[in-house]
Amino acid sequence: KKYDEISSVASVFRHRSDDFQRSAAGTSNIERCAVTPNSATWEHSSMSRVGTDGVLFSIFAAIGTRTRIAVEVDSASGQGLYMSLASLASFLSWDVYMYFQAWSGYALGNELLNNAASTSRRAQSFSTAPKVNVSELGTASSNFNEVLQGSLIAGEIDLLCLFTEANDYKIWKSLNGVAPRVVLVVYQEYWGPDVAVIRAPSGKPRPSHDSRDTKRRRLFVGASLPALTKLANSNGYRLFYCLSNRPIAVFVLDDSTTQMLKTLPTADCFRKKAVDPEWVKDMAAQWDEAQAFEWIDI
């Protein structure tokens, strides 16, 4: 039943995309066709573990696709398995490349992703089957450009999902030869909407602070949303959306095809959460713990 529901939604978005692009072809129609995100209707999932299926369907229904190629780097630890590309392969016949940093994630992701693609009824709608490529990345994320070159990925792609939790800023900053139109990336929300910092390369806590356990240290890596937004702006991207249930930001390439996607102020990613006292309490506690580690101002 869930499969039929999401498949029907995907079909609607496929047909709506062409109509939307035609109606927005004139600049005078851009404002009228502006996309207004709604977390209540957007953040649904059939195969993604983090509510990104509806978000991605909605974005690409509006801006259209060019290559139908998507890349995801998944830590498969910390906040868990993300699997944002499974529905794109199953329902929209995209070519997807999944890289897992942990073997456990690779084993599970390989099974889930290939099963999703092989059991879909895409043959009724598409002339060619999607390519599904799943790899264990390990420590190779330190030179992700070589990984992409090894997979023969170059030029424009439609989507890049950076879910390593620790190295997303570094990977995006050093990205060379690949130009995604949409980028999803994890941020550390306890820094709030104003502090632009990234974690220093050293993984060790400052000697004068409690180091806590290794597993919990994974909460204190990566970058704040303002830091990622600065990087995005310098690369020609802008913030469009933040998930309500996970610290995941969506950036879009700032070009003529994305004019109907309005820029989102970073403060809006925290506005609704800030009225929840439990969330505020949790973020305050994490901010205190984060001070045990070295961060670099951006």
Side-chain angles (χ1 to χ4, degrees), residues 167-201:
N167 300 314
D168 300 333
Y169 183 95
K170 179 182 178 181
I171 290 175
W172 195 2
K173 184 177 182 180
S174 62
L175 195 65
N176 184 31
V178 175
R181 299 176 66 214
V182 177
V183 178
L184 271 62
V185 60
V186 176
Y187 62 93
Q188 295 297 358
E189 56 188 341
Y190 49 78
W191 287 110
D194 301 314
V195 180
V197 294
I198 62 173
R199 176 67 190 281

Side-chain angles (χ1 to χ4, degrees), residues 16-18 20-21 35 56-66 94 158 181-182 238 240 251-253 255-261:
R16 184 183 299 171
S17 179
D18 290 339
F20 197 105
Q21 290 298 304
V35 176
L56 293 175
F57 286 171
S58 298
I59 289 174
F60 285 104
I63 70 174
T65 60
R66 288 182 175 171
W94 283 37
D158 276 318
R181 299 176 66 214
V182 177
R238 52 191 176 83
F240 168 65
F251 294 92
V252 296
L253 186 64
D255 67 6
S256 60
T257 67
T258 65
Q259 291 182 48
M260 71 287 293
L261 306 182

Side-chain angles (χ1 to χ4, degrees), residues 100-145:
F100 292 94
Q101 288 189 301
W103 170 257
S104 58
Y106 165 78
L108 179 58
N110 186 52
E111 180 180 0
L112 290 175
L113 199 60
N114 282 286
N115 284 347
S118 64
T119 59
S120 74
R121 289 172 289 185
R122 61 186 180 279
Q124 297 179 13
S125 304
F126 302 103
S127 58
T128 58
K131 296 177 182 178
V132 175
N133 305 269
V134 185
S135 305
E136 183 191 9
L137 187 61
T139 59
S141 62
S142 59
N143 198 340
F144 192 57
N145 288 316

Side-chain angles (χ1 to χ4, degrees), residues 27-125:
T27 55
S28 60
N29 291 329
I30 292 298
E31 185 65 26
R32 178 172 61 82
C33 296
V35 176
T36 303
N38 185 335
S39 60
T41 56
W42 277 35
E43 294 180 26
H44 63 77
S45 286
S46 173
M47 297 178 180
S48 167
R49 302 292 184 89
V50 288
T52 55
D53 288 348
V55 174
L56 293 175
F57 286 171
S58 298
I59 289 174
F60 285 104
I63 70 174
T65 60
R66 288 182 175 171
T67 62
R68 290 181 179 268
I69 296 176
V71 173
E72 179 176 324
V73 190
D74 199 319
S75 68
S77 58
Q79 298 189 52
L81 202 64
Y82 290 82
M83 292 294 292
S84 287
L85 306 188
S87 288
L88 296 178
S90 296
F91 301 112
L92 301 181
S93 196
W94 283 37
D95 295 340
V96 300
Y97 296 80
M98 289 282 300
Y99 301 96
F100 292 94
Q101 288 189 301
W103 170 257
S104 58
Y106 165 78
L108 179 58
N110 186 52
E111 180 180 0
L112 290 175
L113 199 60
N114 282 286
N115 284 347
S118 64
T119 59
S120 74
R121 289 172 289 185
R122 61 186 180 279
Q124 297 179 13
S125 304

